[in-house]
């Protein structure tokens, strides 16, 4: 049985250069439909042939970038779910810290189709698992998972777009207070 083949360091470097160039171009011109292979390759100083060695077209490129970031976010959420040492608020703070670090990429990805929906699915899994693992008896009229997740996605998007003057710790505290189960 053979070991998985390692990716060539040059390939990794080229892909990272293309990704950085795309985000740079998208931060200047936010219309994603105007992003082309030629513009990305020119920004990096490589030719289009090199681009096509790694990607089928610009859509494949954008799909792979989105997948990488979502995979990283998914891994972060999975690690937080598995962590038994952290309180809910600490887990939320760590998630918000991760989002803050990657905010430039996320803000661009929010403009792409289906990214918000994929973020919703990831956060819904987190909410479902947190609710399933809760030790408290939830009230019968407790807010639905979809509504809670949608509001969480909305808060996170607002924070990344307009509320970065608030720290991730402050936001985690506010979200925690908002969703805290109160005794009846």
């Amino acid at each position: 049985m053979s070991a998985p083949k390692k990716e060539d360091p040059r390939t990794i470097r080229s892909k990272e250069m293309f990704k950085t160039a795309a985000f740079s171009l998208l931060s200047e011109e936010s219309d994603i439909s105007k992003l082309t292979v030629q513009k990305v390759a020119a920004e990096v100083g490589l030719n289009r042939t090199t681009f096509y060695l790694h990607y089928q077209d610009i859509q494949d490129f954008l799909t792979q970038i989105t997948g990488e970031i979502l995979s990283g976010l998914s891994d972060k959420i999975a690690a937080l779910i598995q962590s038994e040492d952290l309180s809910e608020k600490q887990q939320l703070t760590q998630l918000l810290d991760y989002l803050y670090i990657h905010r430039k990429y996320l803000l661009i990805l929010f403009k792409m189709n289906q990214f918000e929906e994929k973020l919703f699915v990831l956060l819904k899994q987190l909410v479902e698992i947190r609710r399933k693992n809760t030790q408290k008896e939830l009230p019968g009229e407790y807010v639905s998972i979809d509504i809670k997740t949608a509001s969480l996605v909305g808060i996170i998007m607002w924070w990344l777009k307009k509320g970065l003057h608030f720290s991730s710790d402050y936001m985690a505290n506010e979200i925690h207070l908002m969703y805290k189960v109160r005794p009846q």
Side-chain angles (χ1 to χ4, degrees), residues 22-65:
F23 284 124
S24 174
L25 290 167
L26 288 170
S27 66
E28 294 167 12
E29 167 61 62
S30 64
D31 186 357
I32 205 159
S33 66
K34 293 185 179 177
L35 188 68
T36 65
V37 172
Q38 187 167 352
K39 286 180 182 178
V40 172
E43 180 77 9
V44 175
L46 297 174
N47 61 39
R48 291 182 307 170
T49 306
T50 305
F51 181 93
Y52 288 116
L53 286 173
H54 308 298
Y55 309 102
Q56 293 176 2
D57 53 27
I58 199 73
Q59 193 56 49
D60 178 47
F61 170 64
L62 293 171
T63 300
Q64 285 190 39
I65 290 173

Side-chain angles (χ1 to χ4, degrees), residues 84-130:
E84 296 177 8
D85 306 355
L86 302 173
S87 70
E88 276 186 40
K89 203 178 336 178
Q90 289 170 320
Q91 289 179 357
L92 186 54
T93 301
Q94 284 196 8
L95 175 61
L96 292 173
D97 284 342
Y98 178 86
L99 295 173
Y100 179 82
I101 290 166
H102 295 89
R103 70 191 176 282
K104 288 181 182 176
Y105 299 133
L106 292 171
L107 288 171
I108 291 167
L109 291 177
F110 283 139
K111 298 172 189 170
M112 294 173 61
N113 294 337
Q114 302 172 350
F115 182 75
E116 187 176 340
E117 184 180 317
K118 291 173 183 175
L119 180 61
F120 179 90
V121 169
L122 286 174
L123 291 176
K124 182 176 179 179
Q125 291 170 349
L126 177 62
V127 171
E128 287 172 334
I129 291 169
R130 297 291 310 165

Side-chain angles (χ1 to χ4, degrees), residues 143-161:
V143 67
S144 80
I145 289 173
D146 284 341
I147 297 298
K148 188 171 186 175
T149 305
S151 66
L152 189 55
V153 169
I155 291 167
I156 289 170
M157 289 181 65
W158 169 83
W159 178 62
L160 291 172
K161 290 177 182 177

Side-chain angles (χ1 to χ4, degrees), residues 5-18:
K5 190 175 173 184
K6 279 184 97 173
E7 197 168 21
D8 185 308
R10 293 171 297 183
T11 298
I12 295 168
R13 190 172 42 254
S14 295
K15 286 182 171 183
E16 192 58 39
M17 289 169 67
F18 284 129

